[in-house]
Amino acid sequence: GQNIDQPTEMTATEGAIVQINCTYQTSGFNGLFWYQQHAGEAPTFLSYNVLDGLEEKGRFSSFLSRSKGYSYLLLKELQMKDSASYLCAHPNSGGYNKLIFGAGTRLAVHP
Amino acid sequence: DAGITQSPRHKVTETGTPVTLRCHQTENHRYMYWYRQDPGHGLRLIHYSYGVKDTDKGEVSDGYSVSRSKTEDFLLTLESATSSQTSVYFCAIRGQGSADTQYFGPGTRLTVL
């Protein structure tokens, strides 16, 4: 199967750290994407992992474990503007880079 | 900004009417995609294109058709709109030499009454 699971909602406090998890089930794995989507706007690309391990990009980091079918997005020093939905996605096995998306995690950052 | 525009940005129509949404890109990308986004379902692929006149179905293609007569335009048509097609529609392109990352247009909010 190609199911992608991520929590529906999370809340966190400004300045804190939050980890958003994503689990997937697929054969022929070919990378995992994270996107950010503010309400009423288009998704914007955050990160892409194809190898195991942690990749850091400023306040955002993304981790991948291919053997466990698991990824997470780590957001540090949370800011109010980080309130958004975070979408996990991977290409399906049929080629043409067709992406399968999780339903997204809606993150609310409170003062 | 991947140079993607969508039109119209908002549309309200009635059940049974035909509707065409346009996606326009300015950077000569080969691959283009149409998704719909609904609460609880995330983004789902409707149709995609891998070149001029080369298109194929995605996971939720029933009730939709597409056309790509030139590189820059990818049209999505609802032949006879139904209320279940009320959604937000996003077009995307596949970036060149960028880990196959897809970049999204601003979206079209379609309401079918």
Side-chain angles (χ1 to χ4, degrees):
Chain A
Q2 297 183 333
N3 293 336
I4 297 181
D5 293 313
Q6 44 181 140
T8 302
E9 293 186 0
M10 300 182 71
T11 59
T13 305
E14 193 174 17
I17 300 173
V18 71
Q19 178 176 311
I20 302 174
N21 296 326
C22 170
T23 58
Y24 61 89
Q25 301 170 0
T26 186
S27 60
F29 178 77
N30 195 25
L32 192 124
F33 295 87
W34 283 97
Y35 284 82
Q36 180 190 59
Q37 185 177 25
H38 285 100
E41 298 182 8
T44 57
F45 170 72
L46 285 178
S47 68
Y48 173 67
N49 294 67
V50 66
L51 299 176
D52 290 349
L54 185 70
E55 293 201 8
E56 300 187 59
K57 196 183 294 185
R59 293 190 299 113
F60 292 8
S61 303
S62 54
F63 172 84
L64 178 67
S65 170
R66 288 173 295 172
S67 63
K68 296 181 180 178
Y70 169 66
S71 173
Y72 67 73
L73 183 68
L74 192 69
L75 291 71
K76 304 176 186 175
E77 302 170 13
L78 280 171
Q79 302 175 11
M80 298 298 289
K81 68 178 182 180
D82 297 329
S83 293
S85 289
Y86 292 86
L87 315 178
C88 172
H90 68 74
N92 77 354
S93 56
Y96 300 104
N97 195 42
K98 294 176 286 183
L99 292 181
I100 305 295
F101 282 85
T105 298
R106 189 162 58 246
L107 174 67
V109 180
H110 298 291
Chain B
D1 184 359
I4 310 168
T5 58
Q6 293 184 231
S7 59
R9 295 292 314 279
H10 298 87
K11 185 171 182 66
V12 179
T13 190
E14 294 187 350
T15 298
T17 60
V19 176
T20 295
L21 308 183
R22 180 187 185 226
C23 177
H24 179 78
Q25 53 119 340
T26 59
E27 298 182 1
N28 206 35
H29 296 288
R30 179 182 173 190
Y31 292 82
M32 299 183 75
Y33 308 83
W34 276 108
Y35 293 88
R36 61 178 289 174
Q37 188 173 37
D38 306 287
H41 288 280
L43 286 155
R44 292 180 292 174
L45 183 65
I46 305 171
H47 280 279
Y48 63 100
S49 171
Y50 45 96
V52 173
K53 296 187 178 166
D54 291 324
T55 65
D56 206 346
K57 297 177 180 179
E59 62 177 309
V60 290
S61 59
D62 287 349
Y64 302 95
S65 62
V66 290
S67 65
R68 191 158 178 212
S69 59
K70 46 186 178 177
T71 299
E72 57 266 36
D73 287 325
F74 190 30
L75 304 181
L76 177 71
T77 297
L78 292 65
E79 301 290 349
S80 178
T82 67
S83 58
S84 65
Q85 293 176 311
T86 292
S87 187
V88 180
Y89 291 86
F90 287 101
C91 173
I93 59 90
R94 172 179 164 182
Q96 293 163 348
S98 57
D100 299 335
T101 301
Q102 290 188 20
Y103 298 93
F104 289 83
T108 294
R109 182 173 296 276
L110 176 67
T111 302
V112 183
L113 302 176

